[in-house]
Amino acid sequence: MTNQKEIVSKAEMNRIEKLFQTKPNRVLNVYFTAGYPKLDDTVSILKALEASGADLIEIGIPFSDPVADGPTIQASNDVALNNGMTLKLLMEQLKDVRQKVSVPIVLMGYINPIVQYGIERFCEDCAARGIDGLILPDLPMFEYLEVYKPIFEKNGLLNTFLITPQTSEARIREIDNNTSGFIYMVSSASTTGAKTGISEEQEAYFKRVNSMGLKNPRLIGFGISNKETFDKACKNANGAIIGSAFIKVLGQEGDMEANINEFVNGVIR
Amino acid sequence: MKIKVDERGYYGNFGGAYIPEMLYPNVEELRDNYEAITSDPDFKKQFDQLLKDYVGRPTPLYLAERLSEHYGAKIYLKREDLCHTGAHKVNNTIGQILLAQRLGKKKIIAETGAGQHGVATATVCALMGVECIVYMGEVDMARQKPNVERMRILGAEVRPATSGSKTLKDATNEAMRHWINNPTDTHYIIGSVVGPHPYPEMVARFQSVISAEIRTQLKEKEGTELPNYVVACVGGGSNAAGAFYNYYDEEEVALVAVEAAGLGNTTGKSAATTTLGKPGILHGSKTLLMQTEDGQVVEPYSISAGLDYPGIGPVHAHLFETGRGTFYSVTDEEAMKAGIQLSRLEGIIPAIESAHAFAALNQMSLKPDDLVVINLSGRGDKDLETYIKWGKY
Ligand SMILES: Cc1ncc(COP(=O)(O)O)c(C=O)c1O
């Protein structure tokens, strides 16, 4: 059964797809943890990021056991949870986010809070708020294909899978076939925020993947922290993702908006 | 009903491999190779030899006459406390170190709660001359000091897990993060039937020697391989899975799993997952999990560091859901009393984890001709300080 809403959502191009069509290079995606540093900062951070030139924003749903994250993002998760952040509250905060910002937004989260919220309800609530995509790093591919994909698609949500330097070529192809929006290229074998700088070995991996002719755009994340690393990443991908370094900015003293503006401009300038 | 893992690593609704991509190549390597490696005759020969000559297997199946008299049933103890290093954990670490060698891994990491798995890992690493790092929650390091020093004497590095609640769950997080950061030369020896597939099944198979021996020994002593009850405590569930494994499909054998109820299941200070948990995903598998409505993992509590885990292995979630397993929970107080009772009746001071299994005897309605096997998973030496603090003996 096709209803009016579905026809409309298919006709409108997803904001992430539109972004890569109009800006195939130097896309800056910035991650922050919802509920950090203060419970109600979500919308102000989104606005400040959009105003200062971020192209894509990734909102992290805090989790008690973020195994893929290093100390900085772990700490932001702890603070957010102690502040009282929940997925329900985040959905509340995002209720009329599309009246405030038009930048593409993806939600990133470990699977358990989403399973408890209910996957159908979660996707419907995302769609109602104008969320464009999801990154669920511990969702197995087969379960995505068999259970989640139809629900994502019905709600106009794109799905990003990750690849790492250890991912085999065959699996990169498989991921490329099942990703929509963009591929998240983890820059090195590490948790978030662990390494500084980009080595020649990493650049070789960026080049190797760049030459594979993948269908999806690629954003490089983990260890991207400033203009230098952003520029290096952009040489062999469509852009990059900054997480831990931005969380540190949010933790700084002073006017948050000004800090965000200064940081983002320092990176993309 | 057959209890069996499927191709994707599920026991019914539980199990699987919920891991970030960074862990995928390692877990895939293990999944694709562990059956071939462990069924290789050379591997089996070396594994059996080490279990016999190094661990001291078979461990005795001991008829506990005074305990039997007290409870009015025939009670046998499977003496895993007599394994080298003092608990069943070494059965698994021997298996995994041999596997790691065949996978060409040069370094070993592990997590530990009570320290028994850490000691068992440090031991096999010393035996094989392999570098070993053990993550242990800061809180657990304080309450299981002797085991911290045992690991250090054995040459392992003990790294405190300082994130979250600083106990077993956090030590497991840290070990997983270490593995993400060191994906090629390192093998992660998980200490229980938890984690992403194939760990739960692999660890259960290494521990299944427990029930294989029980069957042979019981046949010799009682003329039957099948007791009425097999009883074991459940933290993650490896000693229980080992004691149950060769009885999964023998429906007349009741499988009794005993969880830690801490200060009581209504106090907010418990680790009784099947009573307090809901289906959820932690450390790579879907299982029963103690969590908030928002899906945040709840910090469990038990006097016993080895049972202080917010989940259980997926096979136990399946045994619970299908009714194949019978689950009891036992408070700190009941467990400590049972530990003292076993000491007085049989001259055996059990690990406080194992004492939980004995306390469940009070909740079972036993008949005089019932044959009961209790898996005595470890000895109490590491818990002396807790016994002393408890004081009521
Ligand atoms: C003696 C003993 N028994 C039981 C356990 C609990 O683990 P599992 O449920 O995996 O057997 C531990 C864990 O440290 C232990 O040391």
Side-chain angles (χ1 to χ4, degrees):
Chain A
M1 204 176 58
T2 2
N3 60 33
Q4 201 63 32
K5 208 167 131 206
E6 271 180 49
I7 295 168
V8 174
S9 72
K10 270 185 195 135
E12 275 176 29
M13 193 189 272
N14 182 290
R15 288 180 199 85
I16 298 170
E17 290 172 331
K18 212 184 287 171
L19 167 66
F20 285 105
Q21 249 177 33
T22 53
K23 185 174 181 184
N25 298 307
R26 295 186 65 80
V27 165
L28 173 65
N29 177 356
V30 180
Y31 164 95
F32 70 96
T33 308
Y36 177 86
K38 291 203 291 304
L39 186 60
D40 295 323
D41 284 336
T42 311
V43 173
S44 345
I45 295 171
L46 286 169
K47 279 189 186 160
L49 277 172
E50 179 174 68
S52 50
D55 300 301
L56 182 61
I57 301 175
E58 192 181 318
I59 307 177
I61 302 163
F63 183 47
S64 52
D65 297 84
V67 289
D69 286 300
T72 304
I73 292 181
Q74 280 173 47
S76 72
N77 277 253
D78 286 346
V79 170
L81 292 173
N82 285 333
N83 285 344
M85 186 41 98
T86 62
L87 184 47
K88 222 189 222 165
L89 182 60
L90 176 61
M91 287 298 187
E92 206 53 49
Q93 292 177 345
L94 295 176
K95 210 145 217 170
D96 39 33
V97 70
R98 283 304 169 206
Q99 272 132 50
K100 292 165 185 154
V101 292
S102 57
V103 60
I105 299 175
V106 297
L107 295 193
M108 178 272 167
Y110 294 88
I111 192 95
N112 194 50
I114 292 162
V115 169
Q116 303 310 317
Y117 193 88
I119 184 63
E120 303 234 4
R121 176 176 159 225
F122 173 74
C123 291
E124 283 162 13
D125 286 359
C126 283
R129 282 150 187 77
I131 302 301
D132 304 287
L134 301 172
I135 305 174
L136 311 180
D138 50 358
L139 172 63
M141 169 97 63
F142 89 86
E143 196 161 334
Y144 165 68
L145 293 175
E146 290 176 13
V147 183
Y148 287 64
K149 191 177 179 202
I151 308 171
F152 285 16
E153 285 180 350
K154 198 171 86 190
N155 291 289
L157 295 165
L158 303 183
N159 176 58
T160 283
F161 278 117
L162 279 61
I163 64 172
T164 79
Q166 275 71 42
T167 309
S168 68
E169 178 167 346
R171 186 159 166 90
I172 293 178
R173 299 267 175 220
E174 188 188 11
I175 283 169
D176 190 37
N177 283 330
N178 295 308
T179 284
S180 46
F182 65 93
I183 289 176
Y184 193 136
M185 255 182 94
V186 176
S187 70
S188 67
S190 78
T191 44
T192 53
K195 308 211 165 131
T196 49
I198 288 175
S199 65
E200 275 173 33
E201 195 186 343
Q202 283 172 282
E203 276 199 282
Y205 149 65
F206 300 163
K207 279 188 193 140
R208 167 167 63 85
V209 177
N210 197 15
S211 65
M212 284 178 71
L214 302 180
K215 293 187 284 209
N216 286 285
R218 285 154 287 115
L219 298 182
I220 295 175
F222 288 40
I224 311 300
S225 58
N226 52 23
K227 180 171 167 54
E228 187 200 338
T229 44
F230 180 71
D231 287 349
K232 267 197 183 167
C234 289
K235 275 198 285 185
N236 290 293
N238 307 78
I241 305 168
I242 298 186
S244 298
F246 183 68
I247 295 292
K248 285 182 186 150
V249 170
L250 293 179
Q252 280 168 10
E253 308 266 301
D255 179 52
M256 191 166 75
E257 251 170 77
N259 290 343
I260 291 174
N261 195 49
E262 189 189 328
F263 175 77
V264 172
N265 278 294
V267 172
I268 58 182
R269 162 177 38 109
Chain B
M1 185 185 62
K2 290 256 184 273
I3 303 292
K4 203 172 174 302
V5 72
D6 73 17
E7 252 163 70
R8 283 165 170 170
Y10 287 83
Y11 303 89
N13 294 317
F14 301 104
Y18 296 81
I19 46 170
E21 190 62 28
M22 294 77 109
L23 287 177
Y24 187 86
N26 278 337
V27 171
E28 182 190 40
E29 179 183 35
L30 210 53
R31 185 194 68 200
D32 291 348
N33 293 296
Y34 90 99
E35 290 197 79
I37 291 175
T38 55
S39 54
D40 178 66
D42 259 7
F43 179 96
K44 280 185 156 163
K45 194 173 149 210
Q46 206 183 351
F47 181 59
D48 292 345
Q49 192 80 45
L50 282 169
L51 288 187
K52 179 168 175 280
D53 297 336
Y54 188 71
V55 175
R57 304 205 71 93
T59 58
L61 185 70
Y62 162 71
L63 175 60
E65 288 193 29
R66 297 189 66 210
L67 192 75
S68 297
E69 196 182 321
H70 182 86
Y71 283 103
K74 203 162 192 185
I75 303 173
Y76 281 91
L77 312 187
K78 181 58 175 165
R79 297 292 308 272
E80 292 303 296
D81 61 319
L82 296 177
C83 287
H84 177 46
T85 71
H88 68 289
K89 296 282 182 186
V90 71
N91 302 325
N92 169 42
T93 60
I94 295 265
Q96 286 204 49
I97 194 82
L98 296 178
L99 181 72
Q101 287 182 322
R102 281 161 176 79
L103 289 171
K105 304 291 177 176
K106 303 275 179 272
K107 296 175 185 173
I108 294 296
I109 52 167
E111 85 296 338
T112 197
Q116 285 305 107
H117 174 60
V119 167
T121 304
T123 298
V124 298
C125 288
L127 178 67
M128 301 297 174
V130 177
E131 191 181 318
C132 177
I133 297 170
V134 180
Y135 287 90
M136 188 169 187
E138 226 174 26
V139 169
D140 290 337
M141 285 180 72
R143 62 176 165 175
Q144 303 282 333
K145 254 186 239 137
N147 271 346
V148 174
E149 297 313 320
R150 282 167 85 194
M151 288 184 264
R152 288 180 175 148
I153 290 168
L154 290 160
E157 180 188 342
V158 183
R159 288 196 187 164
T162 56
S163 61
S165 55
K166 308 175 179 53
T167 60
L168 177 55
K169 160 179 98 75
D170 310 285
T172 308
N173 289 341
E174 289 306 329
M176 286 188 160
R177 289 181 185 124
H178 183 112
W179 210 20
I180 287 174
N181 283 285
N182 300 274
T184 47
D185 62 351
T186 301
H187 175 69
Y188 176 18
I189 302 191
I190 290 187
S192 193
V193 289
V194 300
H197 174 64
Y199 276 105
E201 183 61 20
M202 183 174 81
V203 174
R205 288 187 193 175
F206 290 141
Q207 291 293 359
S208 70
V209 63
I210 298 173
S211 48
E213 287 176 6
I214 295 173
R215 289 189 76 125
T216 315
Q217 292 167 321
L218 204 62
K219 176 88 184 165
E220 278 167 20
K221 292 174 197 289
E222 294 288 335
T224 173
E225 295 179 24
L226 309 181
N228 300 89
Y229 299 95
V230 180
V231 186
C233 68
V234 175
S238 67
N239 88 87
F244 296 168
Y245 198 91
N246 292 288
Y247 291 116
Y248 282 155
D249 301 330
E250 307 278 9
E251 305 256 352
E252 64 264 55
V253 180
L255 306 178
V256 178
V258 186
E259 295 183 292
L263 301 183
N265 286 334
T266 55
T267 62
K269 292 253 169 213
S270 168
T273 306
T274 59
T275 307
L276 300 171
K278 285 180 302 179
I281 292 153
L282 180 69
H283 296 148
S285 62
K286 185 183 280 178
T287 186
L288 290 170
L289 185 62
M290 291 169 57
Q291 56 185 313
T292 66
E293 197 193 327
D294 186 45
Q296 307 302 334
V297 180
V298 164
E299 207 31 56
Y301 164 81
S302 166
I303 192 168
S304 143
L307 303 183
D308 204 352
Y309 186 71
I312 47 172
V315 71
H316 295 293
H318 182 54
L319 293 173
F320 177 76
E321 190 180 66
T322 56
R324 177 67 188 93
T326 307
F327 284 72
Y328 292 103
S329 67
V330 157
T331 62
D332 288 357
E333 166 119 12
E334 291 165 331
M336 294 306 293
K337 280 187 181 154
I340 308 281
Q341 182 185 54
L342 187 71
S343 308
R344 295 293 163 86
L345 288 178
E346 299 291 344
I348 298 170
I349 304 175
I352 294 170
E353 289 80 10
S354 321
H356 284 71
F358 287 85
L361 289 170
N362 293 304
Q363 298 178 36
M364 297 165 61
S365 349
L366 296 173
K367 295 193 295 296
D369 54 357
D370 278 343
L371 261 183
V372 181
V373 176
I374 302 188
N375 196 36
L376 175 44
S377 58
R379 63 180 189 229
D381 304 36
K382 72 182 174 60
D383 294 316
L384 269 190
E385 209 170 302
T386 312
Y387 276 110
I388 293 165
K389 254 204 216 132
W390 171 256
K392 297 170 210 161
Y393 51 84

